[in-house]
Amino acid sequence: EYFENLNNPLYEDGATLGLITPGDSLIDPYQFCVAIATQAVTLGLKIYENSPVKSLDSKQGTCKTSIGSITADKVILAGQSIPEQFGFKTKNVQLLSFCLATEVLSNTKIKQLGLKNRNSFWDAAMPFFYGRLTPTNQFLLGGDDLWSPMKSLGLDRVKLNRLEERMRQRMPAL
């Protein structure tokens, strides 16, 4: 469920958007891509599958394939890899994600937190803020990702402390 509401436990730093999913927050990557593609097509996007790009002129918005060419205001290349021949270089970025776990919560506390339906949540704030109940009724809360090379600066403890502070501010019942 998508929501926009200023009076929700996910509101922070102007972020008023959020997603709530029933049960655990799982995404099937294939179904997710199909859903996005289907929606994009209804908005006028044209998808050319199995059309390996041979050359790309980003200034002209033209890409050539072995069977023809496509010209558009925006051209999006999607696939398993982005060819370096077009000037794109791949880069792997490692992130650390932080998570807090509470003690086992009573049913009363779970209801007080608005989690009686066991929904997981994720917000659109930067950095992200998300949480869910475990099968044993512990509450997991995560967020405040950190780019791995910055760990050497000692920021991992700072990020974990910030996550705990955000939890206490946004969910004072905990």
Side-chain angles (χ1 to χ4, degrees), residues 129-146:
F129 189 72
Y130 52 89
R132 69 176 178 87
L133 285 171
T134 68
T136 59
N137 288 344
Q138 288 178 277
F139 184 63
L140 297 180
L141 187 83
D144 278 282
D145 297 341
L146 176 67

Side-chain angles (χ1 to χ4, degrees), residues 67-82:
I67 58 172
S69 66
I70 300 162
T71 302
D73 292 335
K74 299 279 184 192
V75 175
I76 300 169
L77 300 179
Q80 292 298 320
S81 62
I82 300 201

Side-chain angles (χ1 to χ4, degrees), residues 97-101 130-131 139-144 160 163:
S97 187
F98 298 92
C99 186
L100 300 173
Y130 52 89
F139 184 63
L140 297 180
L141 187 83
D144 278 282
L160 192 56
L163 180 60

Side-chain angles (χ1 to χ4, degrees), residues 7-173:
N7 300 315
N8 70 65
L10 308 179
Y11 178 75
E12 179 186 80
D13 300 329
T16 60
L17 310 177
L19 295 175
I20 295 179
T21 63
D24 204 351
S25 180
L26 298 175
I27 292 179
D28 177 319
Y30 173 76
Q31 288 179 347
F32 182 66
C33 288
V34 169
I36 288 175
T38 302
Q39 181 63 31
V41 168
T42 65
L43 297 172
L45 181 87
K46 292 183 182 171
I47 297 176
Y48 299 90
E49 292 187 72
N50 301 314
S51 303
V53 175
K54 301 292 184 188
S55 66
L56 176 68
D57 183 340
S58 58
K59 290 181 182 175
Q60 296 291 322
T62 302
C63 61
K64 293 182 180 175
T65 70
S66 57
I67 58 172
S69 66
I70 300 162
T71 302
D73 292 335
K74 299 279 184 192
V75 175
I76 300 169
L77 300 179
Q80 292 298 320
S81 62
I82 300 201
E84 288 191 19
Q85 72 196 50
F86 302 134
F88 300 110
K89 297 192 190 267
T90 58
K91 187 176 192 180
N92 292 328
V93 177
Q94 292 182 341
L95 294 174
L96 300 172
S97 187
F98 298 92
C99 186
L100 300 173
T102 67
E103 62 189 7
V104 174
L105 301 177
S106 68
N107 288 334
T108 303
K109 182 63 76 177
I110 290 170
K111 286 179 187 174
Q112 185 182 15
L113 290 168
L115 298 171
K116 68 179 178 182
N117 293 328
R118 306 190 69 80
N119 293 330
S120 58
F121 66 83
W122 167 79
D123 74 5
M126 288 301 242
F128 299 120
F129 189 72
Y130 52 89
R132 69 176 178 87
L133 285 171
T134 68
T136 59
N137 288 344
Q138 288 178 277
F139 184 63
L140 297 180
L141 187 83
D144 278 282
D145 297 341
L146 176 67
W147 185 43
S148 289
M150 296 182 77
K151 184 177 189 234
S152 63
L153 300 174
L155 293 178
D156 50 340
R157 178 44 81 188
V158 171
K159 288 287 196 171
L160 192 56
N161 289 341
R162 178 185 156 142
L163 180 60
E164 183 176 359
E165 180 182 311
R166 289 172 75 199
M167 177 192 71
R168 291 182 190 283
Q169 288 174 347
R170 293 168 74 179
M171 303 185 108

